Amino acid sequence: MGKTIAVELARKAKPAGQFLVHLGMTGRLLVSQAEVSLPPHTHAVLSLADGREVRFVDPRRFGRLSLANGYTGPGVEPTTVSVEEFSTLFQGRKLAIKAALLNQSILHGVGNIYADESLFRASIRPTKPAGKLTKAELARLHAALQAVLAHAIQLGGSSVSDYVDADGVRGFFQLEHKVYSRGGEPCKDCGTRLKKIVVGGRTTVYCAKCQK
């Protein structure tokens, strides 16, 4: 469910709620053999039926674990939302489209990296008011966001700092970033120097020539 991992629980083949994991900024889940030493900052250990363990590691302790029943997340799931529903999410909204993409009550799970990359691929400037995007622009953004997320998942995510997957393997999508964290560098498409600004309190990078 976006930034929250929802694990469906069952008891004797019947639904028994959900185990929710929010990774925060530095949290991660690792699947390890029980005999492997616990890494530093391990705050929870869950034993699996096959003898392995799921370990919750979080150096900065911003993550959280909880139980719920019927959890669906605060916003709409960006990987499955239709283009029609996607377009209605931004109608009448005055906030910048970059800020709207990061708003978890609108779409859940779109982080700073994927908002920047999607807006670049859709040729949309991040400061443009969400409610003023045309139908064609929203369709392009919908397609770009789903493509970026699908490709990032295929490559194991973006390991720009300490992110690793459940097996401890780093992701590779950061090697394909077009704009994120590249402020001042040349655009990979047109060569224009990329601009770095702040939108909605988040560092934002875009190409003034490619994104209108």
Side-chain angles (χ1 to χ4, degrees):
M1 307 295 182
K3 292 184 177 181
T4 299
I5 300 170
V7 181
E8 298 293 338
L9 303 177
R11 180 179 295 133
K12 294 183 179 180
K14 294 182 179 180
Q18 296 151 311
F19 176 59
L20 305 181
V21 181
H22 193 292
L23 299 179
M25 295 180 65
T26 59
R28 52 182 172 156
L29 291 174
L30 297 177
V31 179
S32 305
Q33 297 297 329
E35 60 269 18
V36 176
S37 299
L38 293 177
H41 310 293
T42 298
H43 301 295
V45 178
L46 289 77
S47 298
L48 300 178
D50 62 4
R52 294 180 300 165
E53 294 178 343
V54 176
R55 299 165 175 184
F56 179 61
V57 181
D58 186 11
R60 299 185 66 180
R61 298 191 178 188
F62 288 132
R64 59 182 181 270
L65 308 176
S66 60
L67 293 173
N69 189 14
Y71 178 80
T72 58
V76 177
E77 170 55 48
T79 61
T80 58
V81 62
S82 68
V83 65
E84 293 80 12
E85 184 180 5
F86 182 83
S87 297
T88 63
L89 294 175
F90 306 105
Q91 290 180 357
R93 297 186 183 271
K94 296 181 180 180
L95 73 169
I97 185 59
K98 167 68 181 288
L101 288 174
L102 296 178
N103 189 323
Q104 297 298 297
S105 66
I106 300 174
L107 288 168
H108 56 233
V110 180
N112 205 31
I113 295 174
Y114 305 112
D116 274 5
E117 293 297 308
S118 299
L119 287 167
F120 176 80
R121 296 192 187 202
S123 302
I124 297 171
R125 189 160 297 196
T127 54
K128 189 168 185 177
K132 291 188 176 181
L133 266 64
T134 66
K135 185 176 181 179
E137 287 174 326
L138 288 166
R140 290 205 313 268
L141 182 56
H142 174 264
L145 179 60
Q146 294 204 333
V148 164
L149 291 174
H151 193 42
I153 291 171
Q154 184 181 35
L155 295 182
S158 297
S159 294
V160 294
S161 56
D162 56 1
Y163 170 76
V164 295
D165 66 13
D167 295 318
V169 179
R170 291 173 60 84
F172 293 96
F173 187 68
Q174 70 276 6
L175 302 178
E176 300 193 15
H177 289 172
K178 294 279 191 173
V179 289
Y180 179 79
S181 194
R182 296 189 62 244
E185 298 179 26
C187 174
K188 293 183 178 181
D189 285 8
C190 73
T192 301
R193 189 174 298 276
L194 298 174
K195 292 189 175 183
K196 182 170 71 172
I197 59 175
V198 176
V199 178
R202 303 300 299 275
T203 299
T204 301
V205 180
Y206 73 99
C207 176
K209 183 177 180 180
C210 294
Q211 294 171 259
K212 303 297 184 179

